[in-house]
């Protein structure tokens, strides 16, 4: 199975992982809820805060995922890795 | 025959004359013997307190899952090393050096000529033992306080965080509180009673732990989908109990050793310490049975620790009956706090906030309640002996000031770390265990259990490496 390029933990059993072609969000006590969003479907990834950071992932269909209380370097790593993957896939001008 | 008579006479002369000659020479004075005894006692007590690191190691290993035990012992080792060096370089001077009401300003690196020791370290001038003995005893206390910090942050903290925070804690935070209460600072002047460190050592460690845990967040899987706490059992209760027993023995150096002199009082202090610990076990086990209808082994151990923490401040000031009351209620308070802390979303695998935090608060306050007039070498008698509310008020002030300072200072350090290097490991590292990811080995190489990663039950594959800036 393909491993994630990077991962980070949010509050309340939430995990965000960036793969080559998608961003995956796992939540729930045993990571039973999995949301997978393709690179093309992510509109924007935003970071808010300094110590307890909120990472927001907005999709083209209007869905918004939020991961709370993340560390700033973790959130930045997720955002940078995701944008790097988009560039690699030629999804930016 | 003449030769035999001569030999016998010579032998008899020697037998009778030699003792006289020996007494005629100048032997060690009573003061020299007293100093030697005091020094020996302080070094033995320092050994016992240092041995408490082994107790913390076993306790934390026992309460951890087996995939994280190597990380626990590595953390204990590095923290002891950092505490030893930082406290030698600056911490001891800040805590016990002559200075102002807030901090000591003399005596860096223990570089003091023998004749000036009492002038430079006024905070410890009341004991006659050599400077090295004073330092070795006090540095062991600093290491204990630091060890307490990490009990709440087990199984998910980056190793670098242990290292950086240890430097700040051993080099600045702990010494400041030590100076306020023990080193001639403003709480010393007010007459705060904290004989061996319920506040200085234990509450300080617990408040730093609380600050770190609030920013770190709970372990993955600790709370279910409805937010209810899930029990994540440690992997080895016998080891955890061994740790408790080592700590119990170590406390015989911690409390009686704080006399820093081989005086008869050490026996009384050891007695109050022991009685409190015993009562604490029974208090926590009683609570466990009433709350869950079973006798929780871990809670029994934590009850002993909470009671030992609680009796640390008043151990020299209270009667044996009072130590039993203090210990029993410490066990009860610890259990109630542990359940509450768990419910409000603070994941404390070891129960350090409950045992060391609430134990420290209760113990410090109990001085203001139970201090006997005959034993009140510092401050005033307690409320129950007609001493009024003055001492209780001073104790409460000390708790708020010291606890508040440590909490805010630690929160600032952990917040800075969280915003710069991050304080939590990646989820795959947490699920696989810190041993393999942070230290490259398993604590138990032939017997390891990790959480399921992606449902395949295997340790996760290494992450793909993508060069920075590659397009």
């Amino acid at each position: 199975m393909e491993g994630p390029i990077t991962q980070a933990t949010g509050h309340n059993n939430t995990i965000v992982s960036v793969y080559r072609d998608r961003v995956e969000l796992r939540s729930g006590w045993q990571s039973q809820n999995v949301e997978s969003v393709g690179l093309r479907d992510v509109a924007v990834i935003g970071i808010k805060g300094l110590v307890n950071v909120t990472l927001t992932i907005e999709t083209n269909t209007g869905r918004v995922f939020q991961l709370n209380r993340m560390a700033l370097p973790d959130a930045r790593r997720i955002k940078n890795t995701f944008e790097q993957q988009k560039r690699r896939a030629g999804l930016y001008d | 025959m003449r030769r035999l008579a001569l030999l016998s006479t010579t032998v008899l002369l020697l037998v009778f004359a030699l003792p006289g000659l020996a007494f005629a020479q100048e032997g060690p004075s009573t003061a020299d013997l007293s100093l030697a005894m005091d020094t020996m006692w302080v070094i033995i007590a320092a050994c016992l307190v240092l041995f408490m690191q082994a107790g913390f190691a076993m306790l934390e290993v026992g309460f951890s899952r087996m995939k994280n035990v190597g990380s626990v012992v590595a953390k204990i080792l590095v923290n002891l090393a950092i505490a030893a060096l930082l406290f030698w370089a600056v911490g001891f001077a800040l805590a016990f050096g002559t200075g102002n009401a807030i901090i000591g300003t003399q005596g860096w690196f223990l570089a003091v000529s023998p004749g000036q020791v009492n002038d430079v370290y006024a905070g410890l001038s009341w004991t006659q033992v050599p400077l090295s003995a004073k330092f070795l005893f006090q540095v062991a206390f600093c290491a204990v306080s630091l060890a307490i910090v990490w009990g709440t942050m087990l199984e998910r903290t980056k190793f670098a965080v242990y290292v950086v925070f240890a430097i700040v804690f051993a080099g600045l935070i702990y010494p400041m509180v030590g100076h306020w209460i023990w080193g001639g600072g403003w709480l010393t002047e007010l007459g705060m009673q904290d004989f061996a460190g319920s506040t200085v050592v234990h509450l300080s460690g617990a408040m730093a732990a609380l600050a770190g845990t609030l920013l770190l967040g709970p372990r993955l899987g600790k709370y279910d989908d409805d937010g209810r706490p899930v029990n994540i059992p440690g992997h080895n209760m016998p080891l955890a109990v061994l740790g408790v027993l080592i700590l119990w023995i170590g406390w015989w150096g911690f409390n009686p050793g704080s006399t820093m002199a081989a005086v008869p009082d050490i026996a009384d202090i050891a007695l109050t310490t022991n009685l409190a610990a015993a009562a604490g076990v029974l208090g926590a086990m009683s609570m466990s049975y009433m709350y869950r209808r079973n006798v929780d082994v871990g809670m029994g151990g934590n009850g002993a620790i909470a009671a030992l923490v609680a009796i640390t401040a008043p151990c020299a000031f209270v009667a044996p009956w009072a130590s039993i009351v203090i210990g029993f209620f410490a066990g009860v308070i610890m259990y109630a706090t542990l359940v509450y802390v768990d419910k409000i979303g603070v994941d404390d695998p070891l129960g350090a906030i409950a045992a060391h935090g609430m134990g420290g608060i209760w113990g410090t306050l109990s001085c203001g309640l139970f201090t006997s007039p005959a034993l009140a070498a510092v401050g005033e008698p307690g409320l129950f002996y007609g001493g009024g509310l003055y001492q209780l008020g001073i104790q409460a002030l000390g708790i708020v000031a010291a606890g508040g300072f440590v909490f805010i200072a630690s929160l600032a350090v952990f917040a800075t770390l969280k915003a710069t290097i991050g304080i939590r490991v990646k989820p795959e590292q947490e699920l696989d265990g810190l041993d393999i990811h942070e230290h490259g080995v398993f604590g138990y190489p032939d017997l390891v259990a990790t959480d399921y990663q992606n449902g395949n039950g295997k340790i996760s594959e290494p992450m793909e490496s993508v060069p920075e800036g590659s397009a």
Side-chain angles (χ1 to χ4, degrees), chain A residues 1-9 11 13 15 20 26 28-29 32 50-52 69-73 77 84 88, chain B residues 215 218 220-221 223-225 230 415 418-422 424 426-428 454 463-464 466-471:
Chain A
M1 185 181 281
E2 178 200 14
I5 298 168
T6 193
Q7 278 185 318
T9 312
H11 193 59
N13 300 322
I15 298 171
R20 281 187 174 280
R26 290 175 176 268
W29 179 36
Q32 70 273 27
L50 184 65
V51 176
N52 283 327
R69 297 198 207 174
M70 292 182 72
L72 184 60
R77 198 178 63 245
Q84 200 174 59
R88 283 163 67 94
Chain B
L215 288 175
L220 291 170
Y223 291 93
D224 70 11
D225 295 335
V230 176
K418 188 171 180 181
T420 51
I421 61 171
R424 187 171 184 135
K426 291 176 182 168
E428 66 153 5
N454 299 325
M463 288 187 185
E464 287 185 33
V466 178
E468 285 291 323
S470 61

Side-chain angles (χ1 to χ4, degrees), chain B residues 176-420:
Chain B
M176 275 192 77
V177 176
H179 185 79
W180 293 358
I181 298 173
W182 287 343
W186 66 280
L187 285 168
T188 312
E189 295 298 320
L190 288 175
M192 182 179 175
Q193 295 170 338
D194 188 7
F195 187 74
S198 284
T199 294
V200 175
V201 178
H202 297 280
L203 183 61
S204 295
M207 294 312 282
L210 179 62
T213 311
L214 289 176
L215 288 175
L216 186 65
R219 290 167 292 177
L220 291 170
K222 173 62 190 173
Y223 291 93
D224 70 11
D225 295 335
D226 297 324
R228 289 173 302 201
V230 176
N231 186 28
I232 301 179
H235 85 287
N236 196 325
M237 273 303 111
L239 269 189
V241 172
L242 175 64
V244 171
L245 293 174
I246 291 173
L247 288 170
W248 191 325
I249 292 166
W251 242 283
W252 283 49
F254 203 95
N255 289 357
S258 291
T259 54
M260 297 191 86
V263 290
D265 294 350
I266 59 177
D268 297 333
I269 297 170
L271 176 66
T272 54
T273 302
N274 211 46
L275 288 174
V281 172
L282 297 181
M285 282 188 166
S286 306
M287 282 294 282
S288 171
Y289 187 76
M290 284 192 287
Y291 191 74
R292 293 194 201 278
R293 290 289 159 203
N294 63 30
V295 180
D296 190 316
V297 180
M299 289 304 101
N302 264 333
I305 292 172
L308 287 162
V309 169
I311 199 62
T312 296
C315 59
F317 309 135
V318 298
W321 70 265
S323 70
I324 295 172
V325 176
I326 292 167
F328 187 85
F329 279 102
V332 171
I333 293 167
M334 181 283 302
Y335 193 91
T337 308
L338 196 72
V339 171
Y340 175 72
V341 163
D342 220 25
K343 273 188 181 163
I344 61 171
V346 178
D347 180 14
D348 180 2
L350 214 61
I353 293 168
H356 295 273
M358 286 308 290
I361 290 172
W362 163 238
T364 307
L365 287 176
S366 70
C367 290
L369 299 172
F370 296 102
T371 293
S372 150
L375 298 171
V378 179
E380 302 293 326
L383 181 66
F384 297 155
Y385 286 92
L389 290 168
Y390 174 79
Q391 193 60 43
L392 195 60
I394 295 294
Q395 300 300 104
L397 176 66
I399 289 166
V400 172
F405 165 72
V406 174
F407 180 78
I408 291 168
S410 303
L411 198 67
V413 177
F414 282 121
T416 306
L417 287 171
K418 188 171 180 181
T420 51

Side-chain angles (χ1 to χ4, degrees), chain B residues 50-212:
Chain B
L50 201 63
F51 190 52
M52 288 170 74
Q53 294 295 321
F56 281 115
M58 293 303 99
L59 184 67
E60 292 181 18
V61 161
F63 274 110
S64 302
R65 287 166 287 182
M66 62 167 64
K67 60 185 180 176
N68 295 315
V69 295
S71 159
V72 169
V73 290
K75 178 261 297 178
I76 292 271
L77 272 177
V78 78
N79 273 315
L80 181 56
I82 289 170
L85 294 175
L86 260 291
F87 205 68
W88 167 78
V90 293
F92 190 71
L94 293 173
F96 299 104
T98 305
N100 51 45
I102 305 298
I103 204 150
T105 54
Q106 297 179 39
W108 316 106
F109 299 96
L110 295 187
V112 181
S113 60
Q116 293 181 316
V117 169
N118 284 343
D119 296 331
V120 173
Y121 298 106
L124 282 174
S125 58
W126 52 271
T127 170
Q128 64 166 345
V129 296
L131 178 61
S132 320
K134 293 177 185 180
F135 169 76
L136 287 171
F137 187 65
Q138 294 298 337
V139 74
F141 275 54
C142 176
V144 166
S145 189
L146 186 54
I148 293 163
V149 178
W150 308 118
T152 59
M153 298 172 70
L154 289 178
E155 302 197 310
R156 59 209 192 276
T157 307
K158 281 184 177 173
F159 193 74
V161 173
Y162 296 136
V163 174
V164 177
F165 186 78
I167 292 170
V168 183
F169 189 82
L172 184 66
I173 297 174
Y174 174 84
M176 275 192 77
V177 176
H179 185 79
W180 293 358
I181 298 173
W182 287 343
W186 66 280
L187 285 168
T188 312
E189 295 298 320
L190 288 175
M192 182 179 175
Q193 295 170 338
D194 188 7
F195 187 74
S198 284
T199 294
V200 175
V201 178
H202 297 280
L203 183 61
S204 295
M207 294 312 282
L210 179 62

